[in-house]
Amino acid sequence: MTVVSQAPQPTHTRPPKRPPTQATANRRALWFLLLPSLVPVVLFSVYPLLNGIWLGFTDAQAGYQVDYHFNGLDNYVRLLKDDVFWNSFKVGLIWAFSVTILQFVLALGLALLLNAGLRFQWLVRPLALVPWAMPSVIVAILWKLIYHPDAGILNAVLKGLGIIDTNINWLGSFELALPAVIVVGVWAGMPQTTVTLLAGLQNTPYELHEAAALDGANGWQRFRTVTWPALRPIAIAISSLDFVWNFNSFGLVYVLTEGGPGGRTQLPMLFAYQRAFGNGEFGYAAALGNAMVIVIMAIMGAYLWRQLKEAV
């Protein structure tokens, strides 16, 4: 009997684990340090955003343990046929563009003055930041008192100067309510634009202004050829952020007028608030919020694309 001996099988041994490199250890430490800040961001920002997108495709209503169901695009079809929504959308565009443009123009002028080396700049700069340091609700209450038809200081000053004979109900007038609210929005938001533009002006090399002055350029020519090209990227960024913030405004206008009179100051966010918490239509209000996000992204995308195209 022949015994066939089998060849010994090669043994495979696992290579020893390499100790973690310094880069790997740094990445683990980074995630460990970021985790405490990521958890609240996910819980209070990412999850509500995703839940809001989902609610926009449902018939969710206010109430405790109220069942709701997926209804597809019904909310969006209803939105397109809602005249009140389209009126609020038109008011929102007028408000956002007016406040953003006026904020930028006035803030640019103030930034140029603050950068000109005038006397008492140490006093003017902190005073220019006062509206920014005040909560929007306090700003709205303050201006509501200024606009008061009977006891407001604005009517008292205008009557004292002989400009008007009778008191004007600024926030109750169909023609004046929106312009009056726009003035408040410009006053409240101008400081942050001023600070941003002032920082850009101070980073512009002074040697370029001196060279342009030696070449015989006047003030306007120096601004057009030296200051504005250096300031343009900052101007694009801050005006874009201002537009988004203004279009999404809520607290300031809500305290001033609550969207009245007759919807003349009803911004889209006020419309959504009334539908959600006034009528209990959470699904419809969420659909409005989703639509506004798309609109803002489209407007800002077109604006930024045009500005960057001209800059190249």
Side-chain angles (χ1 to χ4, degrees):
M1 182 175 182
T2 305
V3 179
V4 180
S5 61
Q6 296 182 352
Q9 297 294 327
T11 58
H12 298 280
T13 59
R14 294 182 179 179
K17 293 184 177 180
R18 295 180 180 180
T21 62
Q22 185 63 35
T24 304
N26 290 340
R27 284 195 295 268
R28 291 177 180 176
L30 178 62
W31 282 108
F32 179 77
L33 294 174
L34 288 177
L35 188 60
S37 60
L38 289 177
V39 170
V41 169
V42 172
L43 290 179
F44 301 112
S45 295
V46 177
Y47 172 73
L49 174 63
L50 297 177
N51 190 49
I53 294 175
W54 161 248
L55 286 178
F57 296 93
T58 67
D59 58 355
Q61 299 286 328
Y64 180 68
Q65 293 184 343
V66 177
D67 294 333
Y68 58 89
H69 308 87
F70 179 78
N71 64 357
L73 298 176
D74 290 352
N75 291 329
Y76 299 93
V77 173
R78 175 187 170 189
L79 198 63
L80 293 176
K81 300 178 181 179
D82 195 333
D83 294 335
V84 180
F85 161 71
W86 286 111
N87 178 71
S88 69
F89 182 71
K90 180 183 71 174
V91 173
L93 288 179
I94 295 173
W95 155 270
F97 279 110
S98 300
V99 174
T100 302
I101 293 172
L102 291 175
Q103 275 180 355
F104 181 81
V105 172
L106 296 177
L108 180 60
L110 182 56
L112 290 171
L113 287 176
L114 294 176
N115 194 51
L118 302 178
R119 297 177 61 184
F120 301 107
Q121 283 194 148
W122 59 272
L123 179 62
V124 176
R125 287 186 180 184
L127 291 178
L129 297 178
V130 169
W132 197 10
M134 300 173 62
S136 59
V137 174
I138 302 301
V139 171
I141 294 174
L142 173 65
W143 277 91
K144 199 169 185 179
L145 294 175
I146 294 175
Y147 283 140
H148 195 279
D150 299 321
I153 189 174
L154 180 58
N155 281 333
V157 171
L158 293 178
K159 289 179 70 175
L161 295 175
I163 298 177
I164 60 175
D165 297 327
T166 57
N167 290 334
I168 299 176
N169 187 3
W170 298 94
L171 299 178
S173 170
F174 282 84
E175 294 78 18
L176 299 177
L178 184 57
V181 173
I182 288 174
V183 169
V184 181
V186 172
W187 185 83
M190 193 174 69
Q192 60 190 9
T193 309
T194 302
V195 171
T196 305
L197 295 176
L198 180 59
L201 290 173
Q202 292 179 342
N203 287 329
T204 305
Y206 185 72
E207 293 79 8
L208 297 178
H209 290 278
E210 289 183 335
L214 291 175
D215 291 338
N218 56 30
W220 166 248
Q221 291 173 334
R222 291 198 301 271
F223 174 81
R224 184 172 56 86
T225 58
V226 177
T227 304
W228 180 247
L231 202 62
R232 184 167 183 165
I234 299 176
I236 293 174
I238 190 61
S239 59
S240 302
L241 292 175
D242 283 343
F243 179 83
V244 173
W245 289 331
N246 292 327
F247 195 79
N248 289 326
S249 293
F250 173 78
L252 192 69
V253 182
Y254 179 78
V255 175
L256 281 170
T257 63
E258 296 186 11
R264 295 302 176 93
T265 61
Q266 187 179 56
L267 305 182
M269 293 303 104
L270 284 173
F271 175 78
Y273 172 82
Q274 292 172 356
R275 287 296 180 272
F277 300 100
N279 300 352
E281 299 175 303
F282 285 173
Y284 187 52
L288 170 63
N290 297 338
M292 289 300 97
V293 170
I294 297 174
V295 169
I296 292 174
M297 291 178 62
I299 294 175
M300 294 311 305
Y303 170 73
L304 293 176
W305 177 81
R306 180 178 179 182
Q307 293 296 326
L308 294 176
K309 184 179 179 181
E310 293 178 357
V312 174

